[in-house]
Amino acid sequence: TEKYYKTESETFLAENSVSDYLKKAEERLREEEDRVERYLHTQTRKPLISKCEHVLIREHAELMWESFQNLLDFDKDEDLQRMYALLSRIPEGLEPLRKKFEEHVKKAGLAAVSKLVGEGSAAGADVDPKAYVDALLEVHTKNAETVNRSFKGEAGFVASLDKACGEFINHNAIT
């Protein structure tokens, strides 16, 4: 099983995108679960699924973490959901995603504030307070929806969102 999936996953990733690989890995794990239920002894389940998770997820986790930002930038919710579901199966699989998500939210918030301030005006002296609050809320709302939709409202991602929002709200060009 290990040799088969190692060869298959490496070959597949060499010819396809990470998004396609996420679908393939999800499908392979589902097939193995089904195979255990239908044909194998129940004691086989844990070591087999553990081996599949190691080969299909852990060995390619680095590549998944690297492609996470791209999925966030282009709002690829289905792929984010798949990546979350797969990486949540391995210990410490989600921590790099939480850190990258926090940075993503912080940058989005600071960019929204910078856009309001503009390049020519003083440091926020003539910014409309309603527009400022609306810009902050828009960034928070958009990313809170991503947390709920793509990451199932997982506490670690909620904490990353809160920390990032605290950063860009308290430390920006206007404040």
Side-chain angles (χ1 to χ4, degrees):
T1 300
E2 181 178 12
K3 286 178 186 173
Y4 176 79
Y5 282 127
K6 186 173 180 64
T7 304
E8 184 190 57
S9 64
E10 288 170 0
T11 304
F12 190 85
L13 273 168
E15 299 169 1
N16 297 280
S17 70
V18 172
S19 293
D20 292 336
Y21 179 73
L22 295 172
K23 292 173 193 162
K24 183 78 164 178
E26 191 177 60
E27 179 186 328
R28 288 299 191 219
L29 287 165
R30 199 173 20 252
E31 287 172 359
E32 287 300 330
E33 294 268 359
D34 186 50
R35 202 169 284 123
V36 167
E37 259 182 56
R38 291 175 187 250
Y39 307 113
L40 302 173
H41 194 276
T42 53
Q43 289 180 333
T44 312
R45 184 185 186 289
K46 187 173 173 143
L48 177 65
I49 297 305
S50 177
K51 183 57 71 181
C52 290
E53 288 172 346
H54 179 79
V55 174
L56 295 171
I57 303 169
R58 185 182 303 272
E59 289 189 6
H60 301 292
E62 197 78 35
L63 190 60
M64 290 184 220
W65 294 331
E66 289 169 12
S67 67
F68 179 70
Q69 186 63 52
N70 194 37
L71 300 179
L72 271 179
D73 291 342
F74 293 102
D75 296 321
K76 304 255 185 182
D77 284 332
E78 286 182 24
D79 291 336
L80 288 170
Q81 289 169 14
R82 274 190 195 90
M83 186 178 286
Y84 170 80
L86 289 171
L87 289 171
S88 67
R89 295 174 76 137
I90 62 171
E92 298 302 314
L94 295 176
E95 194 54 38
L97 299 187
R98 290 185 193 113
K99 288 177 181 162
K100 287 183 182 211
F101 180 69
E102 184 179 325
E103 279 302 310
H104 173 78
V105 173
K106 196 184 313 179
K107 283 180 188 169
L110 292 173
V113 171
S114 295
K115 191 171 147 187
L116 273 180
V117 171
E119 288 147 20
S121 67
D126 56 352
V127 172
D128 176 30
K130 182 181 178 351
Y132 172 68
V133 171
D134 287 346
L136 297 178
L137 283 174
E138 184 181 332
V139 171
H140 180 273
T141 303
K142 178 185 185 295
N143 288 291
E145 287 172 2
T146 299
V147 168
N148 289 327
R149 215 177 26 249
S150 299
F151 310 129
K152 298 179 182 168
E154 194 255 354
F157 282 97
V158 171
S160 292
L161 174 65
D162 290 346
K163 189 174 176 189
C165 288
E167 279 290 314
F168 77 75
I169 289 170
N170 295 319
H171 305 287
N172 63 51
I174 295 176
T175 57

